[in-house]
């Protein structure tokens, strides 16, 4: 116990690679802009899009996706934006075939497309949506949850009792691309989120086959304390510094000055 | 009869010191205004924060700090931020002691319907299904009857369910009731409301035992 | 959209509680010391104990538990300490009936008790152990994982194929008490861990009926940035500042100065 | 025949730029010393860190910074710390591209046994079962035969399994082999080792097709 391993022990040789290591050449996931970041997205793909309401949405990626014009997309996102912002921009262009969300109010075009049958909608309890994304990223193919038992959400799903309480089996969600917004990030893909803009972004970043992150501030790796990173870069494939964030507020609510 | 604030005020009496509480949109939000003296609770917002503070002053709004109703908020010292999966981990794992939410219908076995009206635009359940399926303590805040005067306290819900056998207590503009195996057990009357009034406005089984006191607000 | 809600809207009244709020009276989970923190632990209980090897173990709580003398304990902990430190101290006193761990080497007394049949041992793959703790805290009663399929770990467990790959069903773990070590914490129970001393501590903190945390630094709530908290206080019931941390190193390994 | 370092050196040739790699204790740890020029990989340690750096200088050890072998380590810029559940989320979720670990036995269908010998003290599987069940790419580093000269490359494992049909490649002191539906497919011979030597030392099915080149180290 507590012995000091010294030369002669051949494991000591390990990590000598370090002395020849060019730190500046390690891992570079940085791409130029949103256009390059979403390269490879094609019609018919499934995308995860981070954000809660308009808070923490990947504004740059969504704009680039409008320009790209890919359609027949399945979008997994807690909400569907508003008419002229967020995923609403993709809805306007009829690029979305199906939404997988927990709440889709506040969007007239969405309502029109849904009621006319142009748009498929799969509504999922918010906690199950979050956990299904995490499960997808964590290699957990399915789990039991009490949420939705006895409701139409449970139709066709296995029911099992644990401790006398009914649960339903929910499966993992995956996406061809996850589009994620963070506050700060480095070229390794390490991410720090800000305030409630965190929301679904970390779990969706875990579940994308290709995870694209736009950050407000792309920083040098040694600027981030390893202890404070919200999501390790191992989950991220591409990262870039976004531009011109509007960060629109959906329900600006204030209190009077006393 | 109570108004919206009265309902909130009565529910606030249920709060216990040290509880973490999730308040839904509408009347439940008002509960925060009536926390009894000497009691301290923390508010959880399921989009990912604990220690939610008051709305910001004009000009101090932060687009990166909203509540589950998408309203700009502030945070109190001791608060914390987390992602959606951890947020529902604390809800599903029963670490949030009380959920207060509105409803369209409640059945006398504790079933609740509050997310969908067939034929109308469906906006989604948001976090409601997770909340009602998880918390040990679910209080519904709502009017006793709907706009057409029909009871919202039913033998069986007619609308698609949000959760089954989960509501523990209902506080309406007319009464406070616990859900028991025998149905709604009447605990208190709103000021100026008679037991007879409540009986007439309740379609589900109503249990009335002994004298029913008037609420003390 | 983007409307400003003003007076007159009655929700605006909300949060006026704040003006009458005594911030110093909100949530106080601080207890005096380890002895007070573990009050209520009795013989036969199931405890989770954080740490990986000797890194990040709740030293003060373990000492207090030796003093308390409760026995027949079931301990869920990744490792079992060494002979004279960590959970080894409880083994010496024969306070542990059963260990639920992933790796229990480096402990002679453990080996003796195990081989003599005095001590039950349930070995669990490390990832399943971590996920089962998290599941316990997160209200997920069971989940499927590929780990352990086809091995003795899978005996008696349900097997199901997802995407053609076999998985086994694992259940959540719970504990009467979780004993956890963090670096910094406040009276709300908000925690920040340091380095790899984080390990199992956050997930075990989630899964305790009563979660007791010892921290190296008990700080004022406003000293912790809400954005940097590793584990929100909602999972914590008791917290105290520990004393005399030894932080023993099990495998001190160094490299020669070039 | 290769020594431990030779095995590590040969495995290092399998590394691809940008991979995240988990190295087990023993020979696998040595792989870090032979990373080919121009290739950059990051090391994951399942107790909760990415971007693991070299051992610290004497006096600079930090008790709060160890690897999965409980050794004191350092971190490189760009590293990160996380809890055990997120650590295995990245392993189980296949975000770590390669796992290198030792074994007592490997079967020609990819089964591996490396954690338990009946009758001996069982220390536990640690993270090995999660690692082998998850990663797409599992390379075993071991001696071709045990101390008694018996083959460790078998038709079927005799020891309790760690995982089934999971090993993709085996690098021993004698040979490099892929696991194929037909058994161990011989790819390379160690310097000074003949195909015949390898056949004699391999109990499991060995596929030998065409000329087998000598390893280039």
């Amino acid at each position: 116990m507590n012995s000091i391993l010294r030369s002669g022990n051949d494991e000591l040789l390990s990590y000598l690679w370090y002395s020849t290591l060019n730190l500046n050449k390690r891992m570079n996931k940085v791409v130029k802009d949103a256009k390059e970041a979403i390269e490879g997205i094609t019609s018919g793909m499934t995308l995860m899009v981070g954000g809660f309401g308009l808070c923490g949405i990947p504004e740059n990626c969504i704009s680039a996706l409008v320009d790209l014009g890919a359609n027949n997309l399945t979008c997994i996102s807690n909400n569907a934006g508003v008419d002229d912002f967020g995923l609403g921009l993709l809805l306007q262009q009829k690029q979305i075939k199906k939404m997988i969300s927990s709440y889709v109010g506040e969007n007239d075009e969405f309502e029109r497309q849904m009621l006319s049958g142009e748009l498929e909608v799969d509504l999922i309890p918010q906690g199950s949506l979050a956990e299904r994304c995490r499960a997808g990223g964590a290699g957990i193919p399915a789990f039991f949850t009490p949420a939705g038992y006895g409701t139409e959400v449970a139709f066709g799903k296995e029911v099992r009792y644990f401790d006398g309480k009914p649960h339903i089996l929910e499966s993992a969600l995956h996406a061809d691309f996850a589009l994620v917004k963070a506050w700060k990030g480095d070229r390794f893909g390490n991410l720090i989120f800000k305030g409630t803009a965190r929301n679904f972004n970390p779990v969706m970043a875990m579940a994308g086959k290709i995870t694209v992150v736009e950050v407000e501030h792309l920083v040098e790796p040694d600027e981030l304390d390893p202890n404070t990173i919200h999501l390790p870069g191992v989950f991220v494939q591409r990262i870039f510094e976004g531009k011109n964030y509007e960060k629109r507020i959906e329900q600006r609510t204030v209190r009077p000055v006393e | 009869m109570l108004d919206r604030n009265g309902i909130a005020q009565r529910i606030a009496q249920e709060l216990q010191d040290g509880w973490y509480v999730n308040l839904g949109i509408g009347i439940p939000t008002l509960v925060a205004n009536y926390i009894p003296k000497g009691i301290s609770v923390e508010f959880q917002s399921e989009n990912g924060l604990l220690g939610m503070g008051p709305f910001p002053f004009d000009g101090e709004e932060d687009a990166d700090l909203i509540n589950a109703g998408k309203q700009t908020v502030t945070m109190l010292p001791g608060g914390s931020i987390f992602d959606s999966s951890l947020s529902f981990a604390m809800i599903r794992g029963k670490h949030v002691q009380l959920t207060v939410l509105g409803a369209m219908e409640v059945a006398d076995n504790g079933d609740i319907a509050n997310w969908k009206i067939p034929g109308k635009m469906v906006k989604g359940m948001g976090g409601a299904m997770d909340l009602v399926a998880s918390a040990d303590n679910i209080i519904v805040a709502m009017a006793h009857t709907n706009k057409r005067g029909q009871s919202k306290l039913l033998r069986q819900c007619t609308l698609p369910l949000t959760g089954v056998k989960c509501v523990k207590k209902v506080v309406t503009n007319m009464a406070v009731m616990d859900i028991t195996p025998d149905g709604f057990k009447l605990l208190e009357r709103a000021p100026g409301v008679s037991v007879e009034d409540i009986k007439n406005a309740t379609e589900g089984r109503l249990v009335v035992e002994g004298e029913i006191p008037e609420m003390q607000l």
Side-chain angles (χ1 to χ4, degrees), chain A, chain B:
Chain A
M1 294 323 119
N2 216 342
S3 57
I4 297 194
L5 304 180
R6 297 197 180 279
S7 302
N9 183 313
D10 64 3
E11 288 192 19
L12 229 198
L13 292 167
S14 300
Y15 308 118
L16 290 188
W17 98 90
Y18 172 72
S19 56
T20 60
L21 189 65
N22 184 338
L23 289 179
N24 293 323
K25 292 227 169 124
R26 289 167 59 228
M27 287 283 168
N28 194 354
K29 301 176 180 180
V30 176
V31 295
K32 195 177 64 202
D33 56 17
K35 189 181 169 197
E36 190 181 338
I38 66 163
E39 219 174 84
I41 294 184
T42 55
S43 295
M45 276 189 171
T46 295
L47 313 181
M48 285 184 183
V49 184
F52 182 98
L54 301 179
C55 181
I57 60 174
E59 297 184 18
N60 283 250
C61 284
I62 291 171
S63 296
L65 207 45
V66 170
D67 295 342
L68 183 71
N71 55 30
N72 269 311
L73 299 171
T74 295
C75 288
I76 303 172
S77 186
N78 190 55
N79 312 90
V82 294
D83 275 311
D84 61 344
F85 201 57
L87 289 183
L89 298 171
L90 295 179
L91 286 164
Q92 279 182 358
Q93 305 294 320
K94 305 197 176 157
Q95 293 176 261
I96 302 179
K97 180 186 69 178
K98 182 177 182 178
M99 282 297 310
I100 298 178
S101 305
S102 88
Y103 190 83
V104 292
E106 279 83 73
N107 192 320
D108 292 336
E109 176 62 14
F110 184 98
E111 186 164 347
R112 195 197 61 70
Q113 290 185 23
M114 183 177 168
L115 293 175
S116 74
E118 290 166 60
L119 182 67
E120 287 173 64
V121 180
D122 190 0
L123 293 169
I124 297 182
Q126 196 173 322
S128 297
L129 179 62
E131 191 66 15
R132 290 176 67 182
C133 292
R134 179 190 178 276
I140 304 284
F143 59 89
F144 285 96
T145 174
Y149 168 76
T151 77
E152 62 182 55
V153 162
F155 285 171
K157 289 176 184 156
E158 179 179 340
V159 172
R160 194 177 296 193
Y161 282 73
F162 295 91
D163 265 340
K165 191 175 163 179
H167 293 72
I168 61 176
L169 186 67
E170 291 282 8
S171 59
L173 288 170
H174 300 273
D176 296 304
F177 276 76
L179 308 180
V180 160
K181 158 81 192 307
W183 180 44
K184 284 184 180 176
D186 65 21
R187 66 170 197 272
F188 288 77
N190 294 311
L191 305 181
I192 294 178
F193 303 91
K194 180 160 166 277
T196 56
R198 194 180 319 183
N199 57 62
F200 282 84
N201 281 301
V203 289
M204 289 184 168
M206 290 171 69
K209 266 180 228 154
I210 294 178
T211 291
V212 167
V213 183
E214 55 179 272
V215 293
E216 289 180 59
H217 306 284
L218 187 64
V219 302
E220 289 303 313
D222 55 11
E223 289 179 50
L224 301 180
D225 174 355
N227 218 35
T228 66
I229 285 164
H230 292 139
L231 193 82
V234 69
F235 297 106
V236 173
Q237 278 67 49
R238 304 177 191 169
I239 188 167
F240 68 99
E241 188 168 286
K243 279 183 248 177
N244 305 321
Y245 282 103
E246 183 176 341
K247 295 218 220 176
R248 202 185 288 187
I249 294 174
E250 212 167 333
Q251 302 282 347
R252 189 180 303 273
T253 313
V254 299
R255 66 181 145 141
V257 180
E258 274 97 306
Chain B
M1 297 263 257
L2 302 178
D3 61 7
R4 289 158 55 89
N5 284 299
I7 295 174
Q9 197 173 352
R10 177 58 191 81
I11 289 174
Q13 294 175 5
E14 302 291 321
L15 299 175
Q16 292 184 23
D17 194 39
W19 271 7
Y20 292 91
V21 178
N22 183 295
L23 299 178
I25 295 170
I27 300 175
T29 308
L30 299 172
V31 171
N33 289 329
Y34 300 100
I35 302 170
K37 278 234 178 335
I39 294 267
S40 144
V41 298
E42 297 297 314
F43 294 111
Q44 199 252 17
S45 189
E46 66 267 26
N47 57 318
L49 77 159
L50 270 170
M52 185 163 47
F55 298 130
F57 292 117
D58 199 353
E60 294 180 2
E61 318 88 79
D62 179 356
D64 291 329
L65 196 56
I66 64 170
N67 65 15
K70 301 174 190 167
Q71 300 169 309
T72 43
V73 292
T74 57
M75 291 198 67
L76 300 178
S80 55
I81 298 281
F82 34 87
D83 70 45
S84 299
S85 75
L86 192 63
S87 182
F88 283 92
M90 59 186 75
I91 289 168
R92 217 188 293 103
K94 298 179 186 292
H95 305 279
V96 175
Q97 280 78 22
L98 173 64
T99 290
V100 183
L101 76 176
M104 301 169 186
E105 297 177 347
V106 175
D108 62 23
N109 68 345
D111 288 357
I112 176 173
N114 75 348
W115 77 286
K116 183 176 185 179
I117 301 175
K120 287 206 181 176
M121 166 68 187
V122 182
K123 295 189 170 185
M125 68 293 281
M129 283 192 183
D130 308 273
L131 282 159
V132 300
S134 306
D136 277 330
N137 207 351
I138 309 278
I139 300 181
V140 166
M142 65 175 188
H144 211 98
T145 55
N146 66 21
K147 284 170 192 160
R148 295 183 304 283
Q150 295 161 323
S151 180
K152 295 171 70 174
L153 293 107
L154 307 176
R155 188 76 183 85
Q156 263 197 321
C157 291
T158 64
L159 296 172
L161 294 181
T162 308
V164 297
K165 297 181 188 168
C166 51
V167 177
K168 292 293 181 296
K169 192 182 283 284
V170 184
V171 178
T172 72
N173 50 344
M174 301 180 75
V176 179
M177 292 145 291
D178 270 354
I179 305 281
T180 70
D182 300 320
F184 300 109
K185 181 167 167 52
L186 186 60
L187 300 179
E188 298 173 21
R189 298 171 293 112
V193 175
S194 70
V195 169
E196 207 52 34
D197 294 337
I198 296 166
K199 277 186 183 165
N200 290 335
T202 306
E203 195 257 348
R205 294 172 299 158
L206 186 74
V207 179
V208 183
E209 280 176 11
E211 208 56 36
I212 305 299
E214 193 176 286
M215 295 178 203
Q216 302 298 315
L217 293 181

